């Protein structure tokens, strides 16, 4: 008997059962098997996996012919009491973003204890509960676990939060672990550690794993078998080596070919657009009744960078290395020491009114377009906002400018009256790029603009940015932890670690000199 058996599983909206989101899925998962579930956003991966736990929204329903068994139990007809026993005991789940799936108001210890109390509360006293939690935090290799028990999620790094999520999912030693994009937002080095950890724990517990990802490089490294989904249908499945060496379906071939590639745009300009001289951003930590400064958190220390007209500077490094903080200093959003000059003008000590004309020339595109785009504004209003604030043109000319920039970034202008939630992740990022580009800036800061996107969409966004750079001679500061993406777009690269620049130059991709850079490059290009 298979651990999981999907038989003719179809999932659709309650009020629209003609267009099924998942269509006639037939799949089995055996005990102890590591299955990779791949496909672009909207392909039905997460919905298919979460249906095992019956965690789908109420507006979704199943086709009457659908069958889904877990350990022989038909979960589609099971009552709530049976499902509660299966959740956590038989199936554990790691979600994509631990910051949103962990309770921000409860300590790590309290959240993990809740899992044990729900399933083993009558068996364990408080000391046994704490001992069990510490044992698992040690097993997932969380540093200083005793100190982290009383910590809240925001006090941990991304990698630490993900380790807590893994420990929480495995507390009751389930037979199946569902890992839904567990490494998407992590640095390459942390991602490698998490992947190794999941594989190690799977072997120790003889546990089946359903690993959901849009990154085929990650899946190739870790899965025994790969299942490919497209628009709700299973289009191909095979053991990992066979699927990667001899893909059969055109969609699988398309996914495998979707790697950031190419070279930066041709540009030999010597005109210096922006440079920083020994720029530091230190945050004071105050203690005591009098709130005296006891020490500083040194987010950025004496960073000197330069960006030439029409070129791209890539900034890479792990989370907490100071990449985004340096960008905020350039944007005037953080106080800094040292000097920052834009087109020969010093940005030191500028007041709000003095910054206003510079805002048109320096724009920013954020990592998460869904978070940075107002859900209450239409795409027309979002893109035209900068024109309105800067009193550029009248309503008619602003609308025409929106139509032109939407066309240029590959969006249908007819959709300009829609809202962000009506667009895919890649389309939302194009909206964010259009909002920045409509002001014809000289410099755009791109803060992890592709990290949460599918590989195929990443390639499209990188090509779009390069095209806009050629047409407008715009400069970019491209912040990322993905060295493959940076290699495809950046003319120059700096590597940051703990607030300091440890190496600079395009040679890092072939002959990195610093030990930290060598580790980053080796990890990034290992799959």
């Amino acid at each position: 008997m298979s651990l999981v058996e999907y038989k003719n599983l179809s999932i659709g909206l309650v009020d629209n059962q003609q267009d099924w989101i998942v269509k006639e899925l037939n799949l089995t998962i055996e005990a102890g098997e590591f299955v990779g579930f791949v496909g672009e956003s909207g392909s039905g991966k997460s919905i298919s996996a979460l249906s095992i736990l019956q965690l789908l929204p109420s507006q979704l329903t199943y086709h009457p012919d659908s069958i889904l068994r877990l350990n022989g139990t038909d979960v589609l007809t099971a009552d709530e009491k049976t499902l509660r026993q299966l959740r956590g005991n038989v199936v554990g789940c790691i979600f994509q973003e631990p910051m949103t799936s962990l309770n921000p108001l409860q300590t790590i210890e309290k959240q993990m204890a809740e899992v044990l109390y729900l399933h083993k509360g009558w068996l364990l006293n408080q000391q046994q509960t704490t001992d069990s939690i510490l044992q698992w935090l040690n097993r997932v290799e969380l540093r200083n676990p005793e100190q982290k028990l009383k910590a809240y999620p925001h006090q941990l790094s991304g990698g630490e939060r993900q380790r807590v999520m893994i420990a929480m999912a495995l507390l009751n030693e389930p037979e199946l672990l569902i890992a839904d994009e567990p490494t998407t937002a992590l640095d390459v080095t942390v991602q490698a550690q998490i992947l190794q950890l999941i594989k190690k724990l799977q072997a120790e517990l003889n546990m089946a794993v359903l690993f959901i990802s849009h990154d085929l490089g990650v899946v190739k490294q870790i899965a025994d078998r790969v299942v490919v989904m497209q628009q709700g249908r299973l289009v191909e499945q095979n053991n990992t080596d066979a699927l990667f060496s001899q893909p059969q379906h055109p969609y699988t071939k398309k996914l495998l070919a979707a790697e950031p590639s190419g070279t930066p745009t041709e540009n030999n300009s010597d005109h210096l657009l922006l440079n920083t001289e020994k720029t530091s951003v230190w945050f004071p930590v105050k203690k005591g009744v009098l709130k005296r400064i006891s020490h500083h958190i040194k987010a950025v220390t004496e960073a000197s960078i330069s960006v030439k007209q029409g070129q791209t500077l890539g900034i890479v490094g792990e989370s907490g290395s100071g990449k985004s903080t340096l960008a905020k200093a350039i944007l005037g959003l953080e106080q800094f020491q040292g000097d920052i000059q834009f087109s020969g003008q010093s940005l030191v000590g500028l007041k709000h009114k003095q910054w206003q004309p510079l805002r048109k020339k320096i724009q920013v595109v954020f990592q998460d377009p869904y978070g940075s785009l107002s859900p209450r504004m239409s795409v027309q209003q979002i893109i035209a906002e900068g024109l309105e604030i800067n009193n550029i043109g009248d309503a008619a000319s602003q609308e025409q400018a929106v139509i032109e920039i939407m066309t240029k970034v590959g969006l249908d202008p007819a959709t300009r009256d829609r809202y962000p939630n009506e667009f895919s992740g890649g389309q939302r990022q194009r909206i964010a790029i259009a909002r920045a580009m409509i002001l014809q800036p000289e410099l755009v800061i791109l803060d992890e603009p592709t990290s949460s996107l599918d590989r195929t969409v990443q390639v499209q966004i990188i090509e779009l940015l390069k095209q806009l750079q050629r047409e407008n001679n715009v400069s970019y500061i491209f912040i990322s932890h993905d060295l493959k993406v940076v290699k495809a777009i950046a003319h120059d690269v700096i590597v940051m670690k703990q607030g300091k620049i440890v190496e600079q130059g395009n040679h890092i991709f072939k002959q990195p000199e610093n030990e930290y850079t060598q580790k980053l490059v080796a990890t990034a290009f290992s799959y």
Side-chain angles (χ1 to χ4, degrees), residues 68-99:
L68 175 51
R69 295 190 181 98
L70 174 63
N71 251 356
T73 301
D74 187 347
V75 298
L76 301 186
T77 59
D79 58 27
E80 193 60 31
K81 183 178 179 181
T82 303
L83 291 173
R84 277 200 302 268
Q85 287 302 312
L86 294 174
R87 295 169 187 155
N89 270 341
V90 180
V91 184
C93 195
I94 308 169
F95 297 100
Q96 179 173 354
E97 178 45 71
M99 191 60 188

Side-chain angles (χ1 to χ4, degrees), residues 383-403:
I383 297 176
E385 186 179 20
L387 298 176
E388 292 180 15
I389 290 172
N390 290 284
N391 299 314
I392 300 173
D394 55 19
S397 64
Q398 288 173 3
E399 184 171 18
Q400 184 58 37
V402 170
I403 291 171

Side-chain angles (χ1 to χ4, degrees), residues 490-525:
H491 298 83
D492 193 16
V493 183
I494 67 169
V495 181
M496 295 191 70
K497 180 185 180 185
Q498 296 177 355
K500 295 182 179 180
I501 296 174
V502 297
E503 191 164 356
Q504 181 168 354
N506 251 337
H507 68 275
I508 70 161
F509 297 114
K510 292 183 178 178
Q511 292 181 313
E513 297 168 1
N514 184 274
E515 184 179 348
Y516 174 71
T517 310
Q518 291 170 355
K519 180 182 175 184
L520 279 181
V521 173
T523 306
F525 293 95

Side-chain angles (χ1 to χ4, degrees), residues 26 213 247 325 387 459 473:
N26 290 282
S213 181
T325 303
L387 298 176
V459 172
N473 200 31

